[in-house]
Amino acid sequence: MATVQNPSTTPLRQGVQPLRAGQGTSFLWRKLHSLLGIIPIGAFFIEHLLSNFEALKGPAAYGAQVKFLNALPLVRVLEWTFIFLPILYHGLYGMYIWIRGKSNVVYYPWAGNWMYAAQRWTGLIAILYIGQHVWRQRFAGVSLPENPGAAFAKVQHELASPIMLAVYVIAMIAICWHFSYGIWLFAAKWGITPGTIARRRFGYACGALGFVLLIMGLASIWAFISPKYRNAPENVTPVVAYLHSTAPPYAAIAG
Amino acid sequence: MANKTVAFEIKRQASPNAPSVWENFELEWRPGMNVISAMMEIAANPVTADGRGTTPITYDSNCLEEICGSCAMRINGKARMACSALVDNLEQPIKVEPLSKFPLVRDLQVDRSVLFENLKAVKAWVPVDGTYALGSGPRVFPQQQEANYPLSNCISCCCCMEVCPQFNDVTNFVGAATIAQVKLFNNHPTGNVFKEDRLRALAGDGGIQECGFAQNCVEACPKQLPLTEAISDMSRDVLIQKAKDFLRG
Amino acid sequence: MAAPKIIVVGGGLAGLAAVIKIAEAGGSVDLFSIVPVKRSHSVCAQGGINAAKDLKGEGDTTDKHFDDTIYGGDFLANQTPVKAMCEAAPAIIDLLDRMGVPFNRTPEGLLDFRRFGGTLYQRTAFAGATTGQQLLYALDEQVRRYEAEGKVKKFEGWEFLSAVIDSKGQARGITALDLRTMELRSFSADAIILATGGIGAIFGKSTNSVVCTGSAQSALFQQGAYYANGEFIQVHPTCIPGEDKLRLMSESARGEGGRVWVPRNAGEKRPIKQIPESDRFYFLEEWYPKYGNLVPRDVATRAIHKVVYELGLGLDGQPMVYLDLTHIDRATLNRKLEGILEIYEKFVGDDPRDVPMKIFPGMHYTMGGMWVDFNQMTNIPGIFAAGECEYQYHGANRLGANSLVSCIFGGFRSGPIALAYAKSLAAAEGDGGHGAELARQAEMNKRLLNNEGTENPFKLWRELGATMTEHATVIRYNKGLKRADEKIVELLDRFQKVNLADRTQWANTSFAFARQLYNMLELSRAVVQGALLRDESRGAHYKPDFPERNDEKFLKTTKASFTGSIEGPRFEFEEVDTQFIKPRARSYTAK
């Protein structure tokens, strides 16, 4: 009788398949997703918050900041390469990651597992928010690149609606969370903080950063709804401003 | 005198394609009782709480000392070793289910051979020249031994994989256990001859990049392996390896 | 001619060691194991592995290791193979070291050694308190490498049922049962190596794993193989009593300074910490000043037995004594013993770093086993045995940390010898007996599956375990042994009325268990009757009615062979090879 040639165990017909050692490209796409979250998206996020912070100085300063940004060389190219496309990729691939994971925080309600789930939900909030934000603030309505002076009023109108205000506040919280935990995850998953103690310390640092960013973000929102700049002018730098008016824009209108 | 009893709810399934059913058992309490001894008791007296005859429960077990890694199952929803699950420390009724991420064989028995395949895929061994006398091994300082020893305590129970949200049949994630073994063998003075191969293997589909760092693995590991640290370290090494490979062309 | 095919049954240290040697020599191996090999019982070994490498400047030599082993085994072991083992041990440690076993180290980066029972030298290499696990993994990894290269095929989840023996009495293969599909198949091979471990399950609760039933040994015994020295069963002095099993508390706990004691007063009421030294009875240290807590296992076991049952000093009247580590600092304990201390903590709930452990002897190791010649071959040509399932290396009592070395040595020896045998084997006539053996097994399966009766196999097993533990462990009386044999006969009879609660043909554990149980029953008669015949005390075999060793009559290997009759096995005795060390009185009481 011949020795049986069949495999010794019934082959796995279902269930998780073994590692495809060294094969496929998912490593690259996943690492790209991870990296983009920090640079440029994270960097841009910080820049955006800093810019928004100018709103606390009033519509003119805010308008000037918007103008400055829009005056950068190759600004449209920069905008697409370093902001829109990375965010689009990070968001869509993030959703892809989400649907492939099976969250089980119900059974294992451990801190890291909650964070895992939170990172996905905050990511979802972020991408939905960013979608409407970019559409309504960048592409719809008054074109800010051409009318940077209209920036303050445009945002102020938006935040006049309590619903939109709530959306902005929630999104600000979610994005600050997503970003600061994202930095922490990046450090852990890229081997920058392998040890438990290092991770815990860096966790405090990320938490502090997230908190500062959140305060800055909420303060900027406050600038738009505070009584101080109520009913800001529709455009602090009217077309005449293009004619190299020497007077301060705000003064010009006031005058 | 009414004896103290212990209530069990056990998920049964006669074969991979059969429907699953819950069966309840009521057993006499004994001091030091664990989930395995309860199942031994059921085997000796296969009758459900409502007095119906049933079959003994099929489950994997061997050493009963939490060192062979056989008896991993979900007890009150959580993946753990049944032998070290003392009845007195569990909320009743004690619900026992098979691991959910592995092909079910019968009742509480599942097929965890994917881990052994993964260990093959990453060459988890030290390639010795031969078993003939070749003198003593490489020097290893106690500090290195103490760093590596915890990693070599992995009992292949697969709890880390079961609890991992990323370990599923969509991602085909390799799981923490294999990644820890890569670290162990890459740390060994002779084992590291395959270091590059192992790191490249881990960058394949289902590789280390699938980790979502939920850190459930390290919470669930019955042997307290430093799994997240291993994932972190190996992620870095894989990345550096891939970068080197890219730059070398 | 095709490359010779070897079947190895059992994937513990011995089996894997054999597989590695065969694969390395270019042979083709099929490896059968009930459990995935990485889950074999060898993982349970805790303390270490002996080799006289003399890295502590004590002047240890392989000759001293040899002498300790022979003396510890009360001169019952054949000396030629033991001598070879002790001489090979240092190279085995080196090999394991090269394979990556994380042995504990000295500050200079060399192997660290500790002292174990039955010796005065620090001869035991160790990897924390999980040496067996680390060794098994190292061999498992090497086998996985050969498996990946296609030189080894694993049949995990298959249970060996019997050997296929041709008309000339030579082995031609095995029959095995797929424990998942319940499929019965025969597999051909030119040689078979049995490496199926101990027989703990015969004693109900033991320190052994669930798969250590002795079923494979018994099946071969029933096919005509000799079973040797079956009466020699090691009862480990320090176990943690449990509901499902007895968990080992390694000898390394004593090797690192653990002290065994009971309060001097039976009714001691004070908390442990308030009992002064003067009221603590360190009986091993008092009775055996030279070896102290590190007397051989049989001696320690009988001392504990005596303290509990004769002196009535068991803790709170229970059969338990203290094993105390609390005088050693926590850092040292964690570094050297963490694994085993965790076991205690996990399964008992007390921290042994704070509270002395409560322990009691439990069945631990099978010194006896398949009779083999000096080439590891049984009396059935082509069937070899290695590891705990054979009888060669430990005589009447095994020294701590000698089992791992004997398993690996036996495996390493049997592999190449089996391969050489296989190469010289002439082709089988006809089907080599496969058809007939397959039919015999199919018939047995059918009968068992369709049997109508009232007996539950798991209950029969409990009765067997209780009987064996009561009559055939620490202290043996002929009356009790006779009663045990009668009980086994009764159980064999009741087995005919066994009724399986499960008659399905898919992963049916009761069916597999019932087959094992029958084999356990048949084999336990060889144990009990062997003990009955041996009217002396030697090593682990102790009869109060015959307290002395009797070399004139019993310096002999017991060989049991199966008869199939109601009287049980037939026994014969074989001279022991004592050419190197003249038997001398064995005593550990000297100062």
Side-chain angles (χ1 to χ4, degrees):
Chain A
M1 172 178 277
T3 304
V4 182
Q5 294 302 321
N6 299 340
S8 51
T9 44
T10 327
L12 295 171
R13 264 176 251 101
Q14 28 155 334
V16 182
Q17 295 302 302
L19 172 70
R20 289 181 56 214
Q23 293 175 39
T25 52
S26 61
F27 181 81
L28 179 68
W29 298 119
R30 184 65 181 254
K31 285 293 162 192
L32 181 64
H33 166 85
S34 176
L35 181 64
L36 290 180
I38 306 297
I39 294 169
I41 301 173
F44 168 71
F45 175 55
I46 291 177
E47 180 281 312
H48 197 14
L49 282 182
L50 289 172
S51 294
N52 285 353
F53 209 60
E54 286 293 293
L56 286 165
K57 294 187 199 157
Y62 190 62
Q65 179 68 16
V66 174
K67 188 180 168 191
F68 161 72
L69 289 174
N70 279 290
L72 289 172
L74 291 174
V75 65
R76 296 287 82 84
V77 177
L78 294 180
E79 189 180 42
W80 279 96
T81 350
F82 291 107
I83 303 174
F84 294 151
L85 289 178
I87 291 179
L88 195 64
Y89 177 78
H90 188 82
L92 291 179
Y93 198 83
M95 303 294 248
Y96 172 70
I97 292 172
W98 189 0
I99 55 171
R100 283 153 55 89
K102 302 272 179 324
S103 181
N104 52 15
V105 74
V106 182
Y107 295 109
Y108 305 105
W110 296 320
N113 210 15
W114 277 113
M115 300 288 215
Y116 171 90
Q119 193 67 354
R120 278 139 186 80
W121 285 102
T122 53
L124 177 67
I125 293 171
I127 192 71
L128 292 177
Y129 165 80
I130 291 168
Q132 71 81 31
H133 178 66
V134 169
W135 173 248
R136 289 171 66 86
Q137 297 296 316
R138 168 69 182 78
F139 293 110
V142 186
S143 173
L144 295 182
E146 282 146 34
N147 304 289
F152 196 98
K154 191 173 183 184
V155 177
Q156 195 169 53
H157 292 324
E158 185 80 343
L159 295 183
S161 146
I163 293 174
M164 286 317 289
L165 178 63
V167 165
Y168 271 67
V169 169
I170 291 169
M172 187 58 73
I173 296 170
I175 292 172
C176 287
W177 174 287
H178 191 86
F179 177 56
S180 51
Y181 188 62
I183 301 175
W184 184 88
L185 274 179
F186 179 85
K189 290 178 64 180
W190 288 55
I192 299 163
T193 54
T196 318
I197 295 167
R199 273 204 305 275
R200 194 187 313 130
R201 284 185 189 148
F202 192 58
Y204 294 135
C206 292
L209 173 70
F211 188 71
V212 168
L213 294 177
L214 179 63
I215 295 304
M216 283 177 67
L218 293 178
S220 310
I221 291 175
W222 170 249
F224 292 102
I225 58 169
S226 74
K228 195 172 171 191
Y229 305 114
R230 186 167 294 156
N231 299 322
E234 286 302 323
N235 196 333
V236 292
T237 49
V239 184
V240 287
Y242 274 103
L243 306 172
H244 303 286
S245 157
T246 46
Y250 202 63
I253 287 167
Chain B
M1 178 182 104
N3 286 328
K4 198 169 152 189
T5 60
V6 187
F8 276 88
E9 288 178 14
I10 299 177
K11 198 173 184 184
R12 310 287 311 263
Q13 187 170 333
S15 68
N17 301 317
S20 65
V21 288
W22 287 90
E23 280 185 351
N24 301 343
F25 297 91
E26 190 131 349
L27 307 171
E28 194 184 321
W29 177 86
R30 292 216 183 87
M33 193 175 190
N34 58 8
V35 170
I36 292 285
S37 67
M39 284 192 291
M40 288 175 163
E41 193 58 46
I42 291 169
N45 187 22
V47 178
T48 62
D50 48 15
R52 214 163 29 80
T54 183
T55 52
I57 293 151
T58 297
Y59 61 96
D60 280 324
S61 75
N62 198 26
C63 76
L64 313 185
E65 303 181 357
E66 207 181 67
I67 196 84
C68 78
S70 295
C71 63
M73 49 188 79
R74 282 185 298 153
I75 297 166
N76 285 347
K78 289 194 167 51
R80 57 179 299 179
M81 307 310 289
C83 61
S84 62
L86 298 181
V87 162
D88 291 351
N89 299 339
L90 293 167
E91 204 175 296
Q92 289 190 36
I94 299 166
K95 290 177 82 158
V96 189
E97 299 162 82
L99 296 183
S100 63
K101 303 273 184 79
F102 301 87
L104 186 120
V105 177
R106 182 175 173 180
D107 293 345
L108 304 173
Q109 190 176 62
V110 294
D111 185 336
R112 284 170 283 174
S113 52
V114 64
L115 173 59
F116 300 121
E117 291 304 317
N118 284 338
L119 291 175
K120 259 186 234 167
V122 300
K123 300 187 183 170
W125 53 74
V126 174
V128 296
D129 281 353
T131 58
Y132 31 90
L134 289 173
S136 56
R139 275 202 191 194
V140 177
F141 294 108
Q143 294 82 349
Q144 293 167 279
Q145 190 270 348
E146 278 164 35
N148 288 336
Y149 179 69
L151 294 169
S152 69
N153 272 328
C154 171
I155 59 175
S156 309
C157 65
C158 301
C159 284
C160 60
M161 292 144 87
E162 168 73 15
V163 301
C164 173
Q166 291 293 107
F167 180 82
N168 58 53
D169 53 10
V170 183
T171 63
N172 292 315
F173 178 39
V174 67
T178 307
I179 296 170
Q181 293 306 296
V182 169
K183 182 176 174 185
L184 173 66
F185 287 98
N186 282 1
N187 276 354
H188 187 269
T190 318
N192 79 1
V193 65
F194 285 152
K195 183 175 177 179
E196 298 195 344
D197 291 359
R198 292 193 193 100
L199 295 176
R200 287 186 193 115
L202 273 192
D205 282 353
I208 196 163
Q209 67 277 8
E210 289 289 355
C211 168
F213 227 80
Q215 305 171 72
N216 289 357
C217 50
V218 81
E219 294 280 346
C221 177
K223 305 311 275 186
Q224 284 98 42
L225 262 72
L227 293 171
T228 44
E229 189 174 330
I231 292 174
S232 233
D233 281 334
M234 289 307 98
S235 287
R236 181 187 57 242
D237 291 0
V238 169
L239 197 72
I240 292 170
Q241 185 61 45
K242 291 300 274 187
K244 274 189 198 162
D245 287 352
F246 177 76
L247 295 173
R248 275 191 204 128
Chain C
M1 190 186 139
K5 162 70 55 91
I6 317 281
I7 282 178
V8 174
V9 184
L13 281 178
L16 295 179
V19 167
I20 289 168
K21 280 287 185 189
I22 298 163
E24 186 176 71
S28 160
V29 196
D30 286 351
L31 172 58
F32 286 77
S33 175
I34 296 175
V35 292
V37 295
K38 202 178 176 182
R39 311 197 192 284
S40 301
H41 178 61
S42 301
V43 284
C44 291
Q46 298 171 346
I49 174 165
N50 284 339
K53 280 183 73 78
D54 192 33
L55 294 186
K56 294 281 181 189
E58 300 168 319
D60 194 13
T61 62
T62 54
D63 270 354
K64 284 175 179 157
H65 183 192
F66 173 45
D67 188 81
D68 280 339
T69 303
I70 292 296
Y71 183 72
D74 228 346
F75 297 90
L76 192 66
N78 286 314
Q79 294 183 2
T80 303
V82 175
K83 188 164 189 290
M85 172 182 83
C86 296
E87 285 165 358
I92 287 176
I93 302 276
D94 284 341
L95 172 61
L96 294 168
D97 188 17
R98 284 171 41 226
M99 286 177 177
V101 173
F103 284 118
N104 281 48
R105 300 284 168 163
T106 65
E108 200 183 325
L110 302 171
L111 295 172
D112 198 5
F113 285 80
R114 63 178 161 211
R115 209 186 125 202
F116 244 58
T119 185
L120 297 172
Y121 297 93
Q122 296 185 64
R123 185 187 289 150
T124 306
F126 60 103
T130 59
T131 314
Q133 180 193 15
Q134 304 308 329
L135 264 49
L136 183 77
Y137 288 3
L139 298 191
D140 171 65
E141 286 145 12
Q142 296 299 321
V143 169
R144 186 163 295 111
R145 173 187 171 195
Y146 286 122
E147 192 191 7
E149 290 169 9
K151 292 174 181 165
V152 175
K153 197 191 285 176
K154 279 184 191 157
F155 291 79
E156 291 172 326
W158 284 77
E159 179 155 13
F160 168 90
L161 291 181
S162 67
V164 173
I165 298 171
D166 69 11
S167 53
K168 291 178 182 158
Q170 291 171 314
R172 292 292 178 178
I174 66 166
T175 65
L177 182 72
D178 183 337
L179 295 171
R180 193 177 292 174
T181 63
M182 309 313 286
E183 179 191 5
L184 169 70
R185 264 195 212 167
S186 84
F187 298 82
S188 17
D190 304 305
I192 293 132
I193 300 172
L194 199 70
T196 49
I199 63 169
I202 282 178
F203 292 81
K205 285 195 260 184
S206 73
T207 65
N208 287 190
S209 292
V210 172
V211 294
C212 302
T213 60
S215 184
Q217 293 94 301
S218 178
L220 278 184
F221 168 63
Q222 292 168 59
Q223 287 185 292
Y226 287 122
Y227 195 77
N229 289 345
E231 63 271 31
F232 291 95
I233 297 293
Q234 181 167 79
V235 180
H236 196 288
T238 58
C239 300
I240 314 162
E243 257 307 295
D244 48 344
K245 82 168 291 188
L246 309 172
R247 293 182 175 85
L248 182 66
M249 180 42 58
S250 166
E251 193 162 300
S252 55
R254 285 174 289 141
E256 295 297 343
R259 303 176 77 187
V260 176
W261 63 279
V262 288
R264 286 196 188 273
N265 305 317
E268 183 64 61
K269 288 280 177 282
R270 286 171 290 188
I272 304 167
K273 288 200 169 137
Q274 287 172 25
I275 303 174
E277 284 290 306
S278 56
D279 286 345
R280 295 177 176 202
F281 183 21
Y282 295 97
F283 51 93
L284 291 176
E285 295 169 33
E286 281 188 27
W287 292 342
Y288 310 101
K290 190 168 169 187
Y291 286 82
N293 291 290
L294 284 173
V295 286
R297 292 173 177 175
D298 59 321
V299 178
T301 292
R302 280 195 293 275
I304 295 171
H305 211 264
K306 180 173 174 180
V307 162
V308 168
Y309 291 113
E310 285 180 37
L311 308 180
L313 291 176
L315 305 174
D316 302 321
Q318 302 283 317
M320 283 190 277
V321 300
Y322 287 130
L323 171 54
D324 196 345
L325 289 166
T326 57
H327 55 284
I328 303 170
D329 72 273
R330 294 181 80 93
T332 308
L333 291 178
N334 284 340
R335 196 171 69 250
K336 294 192 163 168
L337 297 171
E338 195 174 20
I340 54 170
L341 300 185
E342 271 174 11
I343 290 182
Y344 189 84
E345 217 173 340
K346 212 162 232 175
F347 289 95
V348 181
D350 295 335
D351 183 354
R353 300 163 193 92
D354 291 332
V355 188
M357 296 180 277
K358 292 178 176 177
I359 52 94
F360 195 69
M363 188 283 173
H364 179 55
Y365 190 84
T366 315
M367 269 82 68
M370 305 309 300
W371 179 89
V372 289
D373 62 18
F374 290 178
N375 285 323
Q376 306 277 149
M377 189 159 85
T378 66
N379 56 315
I380 301 176
I383 299 186
F384 298 78
E388 190 175 349
C389 72
E390 56 99 329
Y391 88 110
Q392 260 191 132
Y393 295 103
H394 308 295
N397 173 58
R398 175 175 69 78
L399 290 190
N402 257 357
S403 59
L404 297 181
V405 72
S406 70
C407 282
I408 295 175
F409 178 72
F412 277 172
R413 258 183 74 71
S414 63
I417 296 173
L419 190 60
Y421 169 91
K423 280 181 179 162
S424 66
L425 183 69
E429 289 171 16
D431 77 342
H434 280 268
E437 187 56 33
L438 210 50
R440 185 173 81 98
Q441 294 299 329
E443 175 60 28
M444 281 164 80
N445 288 351
K446 196 175 133 202
R447 204 176 335 130
L448 181 59
L449 214 50
N450 297 318
N451 208 32
E452 295 293 340
T454 50
E455 299 285 355
N456 174 310
F458 296 95
K459 281 185 182 156
L460 294 182
W461 173 57
R462 283 185 182 183
E463 291 183 38
L464 171 69
T467 302
M468 293 298 288
T469 301
E470 183 185 351
H471 297 297
T473 50
V474 186
I475 309 253
R476 292 156 169 191
Y477 294 97
N478 284 347
K479 222 169 97 182
L481 291 166
K482 274 181 199 145
R483 207 175 307 146
D485 191 54
E486 285 160 15
K487 179 72 183 180
I488 298 164
V489 173
E490 176 209 311
L491 291 173
L492 274 165
D493 183 51
R494 283 164 61 193
F495 184 86
Q496 301 307 317
K497 301 184 205 83
V498 89
N499 188 340
L500 295 184
D502 185 354
R503 297 182 180 205
T504 59
Q505 281 292 286
W506 179 260
N508 182 338
T509 44
S510 350
F511 172 75
F513 183 77
R515 286 220 48 166
Q516 294 164 357
L517 175 65
Y518 180 80
N519 286 341
M520 285 190 238
L521 289 167
E522 288 290 3
L523 193 64
S524 56
R525 294 196 80 188
V527 175
V528 168
Q529 292 198 6
L532 190 56
L533 289 174
R534 190 175 280 276
D535 281 334
E536 64 160 351
S537 292
R538 181 187 296 272
H541 172 75
Y542 180 67
K543 284 184 173 176
D545 298 335
F546 304 91
E548 299 301 320
R549 191 173 89 190
N550 183 344
D551 282 351
E552 207 175 309
K553 269 184 88 175
F554 292 111
L555 182 54
K556 290 193 171 66
T557 300
T558 312
K559 288 168 80 176
S561 49
F562 184 73
T563 61
S565 80
I566 187 80
E567 282 77 35
R570 183 177 57 239
F571 286 87
E572 55 196 272
F573 294 92
E574 188 178 83
E575 286 302 323
V576 174
D577 165 18
T578 57
Q579 57 175 312
F580 300 104
I581 303 170
K582 209 167 134 311
R584 59 184 191 269
R586 176 178 183 255
S587 161
Y588 291 90
T589 54
K591 288 205 192 281

